[in-house]
């Protein structure tokens, strides 16, 4: 074997090693919890420095409220955004439809009227795809680990997201909720869907998603209602979270 061939083989092997290490690094970064710096820095929804005119705001409001799934007999309620977790999803009205859950978040009422944003207990559900990013996956504190929501046969809770803001938006404006805690519950626990439930005597938001790896359990994220602004008065940052021309809807990686 000539020296030239040895050098060529060595370069090819180095290139293969670099590609392999890059691929392993990518796989590792994607497996990290939602608030790990390697996940949040590039993917966190950003509040743009842009100043939105009233015309811009009305266009965004129109997009948020547009009925785009009437062919599937679904009514869009608006959008949900959790900037810190890169979550931006449309909200439809049937959490008990597999087709609807594949399209975004859905109101999770059962035998009661569709909830109203900013009133009562607004209940939402979406998939946890166990990847820390798509749909409501980022709400689980640690990937592929039941704790702290369920451990040693006991349900538990977590405060890792306490104080984070969840935004709901519809054609009227932007509703703000502040996360107050997370709890693990059985998949059969429908008490979390009580339309009259409150959080610290305030209207609340309840988000339901599966736990992994024990998918017979659920993660319940609770948040209290803290304010509302119509589209004309919402801050530029809040409007930007729902600017779907700039922000990425996280149904897929």
């Amino acid at each position: 074997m000539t020296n030239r061939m040895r050098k060529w083989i060595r370069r090819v092997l180095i290139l293969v090693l670099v590609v392999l290490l890059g691929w392993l690094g990518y796989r590792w970064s994607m497996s990290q919890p939602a608030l790990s710096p390697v996940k949040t820095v590039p993917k966190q929804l950003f509040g743009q420095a842009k100043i939105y005119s009233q015309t811009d705001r009305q266009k965004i409001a129109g997009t948020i409220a547009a009925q785009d799934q009437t062919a599937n007999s679904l009514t869009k309620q608006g959008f949900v955004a959790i900037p810190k977790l890169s979550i931006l999803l449309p909200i439809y009205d049937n959490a008990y439809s597999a087709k609807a859950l594949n399209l975004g978040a859905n109101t999770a009422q059962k035998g009661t009227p569709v909830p109203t944003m900013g009133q009562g207990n607004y209940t939402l559900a979406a998939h946890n795809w166990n990847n820390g990013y798509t749909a409501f996956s980022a709400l689980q504190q640690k990937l592929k680990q039941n704790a702290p929501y369920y451990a040693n046969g006991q349900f538990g809770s977590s405060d890792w997201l306490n104080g984070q803001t969840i935004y709901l938006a519809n054609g009227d404006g932007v509703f703000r909720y502040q996360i107050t805690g997370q709890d693990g519950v059985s998949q059969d626990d429908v008490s979390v869907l009580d339309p009259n439930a409150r959080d610290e005597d305030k209207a609340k938001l309840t988000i339901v998603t599966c736990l992994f790896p024990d998918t017979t359990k659920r993660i319940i994220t609770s948040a209290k209602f803290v304010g509302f602004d119509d589209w004309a008065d919402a801050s530029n940052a809040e409007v930007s979270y729902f600017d779907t021309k700039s922000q990425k809807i996280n149904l897929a990686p």
Side-chain angles (χ1 to χ4, degrees), residues 101-223:
L101 285 172
N102 286 333
L103 294 170
N106 279 261
T107 55
Q109 74 288 344
K110 199 167 189 175
T112 60
V114 174
T116 301
M117 292 180 185
Q119 299 179 25
N121 181 17
Y122 196 86
T123 53
L124 283 181
H127 284 307
N128 177 356
W129 292 114
N130 194 32
N131 59 15
Y133 179 57
T134 53
F136 280 159
S137 301
L139 288 170
Q140 181 162 337
Q141 184 171 353
K142 296 180 180 179
L143 296 180
K144 301 177 175 59
Q145 183 173 314
N146 290 327
Y149 310 104
Y150 188 73
N152 302 316
Q154 300 292 323
F155 288 110
S157 61
S158 174
D159 62 1
W160 79 299
L161 292 176
N162 284 15
Q164 295 296 328
T165 303
I166 300 176
Y167 299 90
L168 302 183
N170 60 18
D172 296 327
V174 181
F175 301 77
R176 296 184 300 278
Y177 292 80
Q178 187 178 70
I179 295 177
T180 55
Q182 290 184 307
D183 296 284
V185 302
S186 165
Q187 64 182 351
D188 302 319
D189 187 347
V190 297
S191 66
V192 298
L193 305 180
D194 178 359
N196 298 312
R198 295 290 186 272
D199 194 322
E200 298 179 1
D201 293 325
K202 296 182 178 180
K204 69 176 296 187
L205 169 66
T206 300
I207 293 179
V208 183
T209 194
C210 288
L211 176 64
F212 270 91
D214 190 341
T215 56
T216 67
K217 309 298 187 296
R218 299 289 181 264
I219 300 171
I220 305 301
T221 302
S222 298

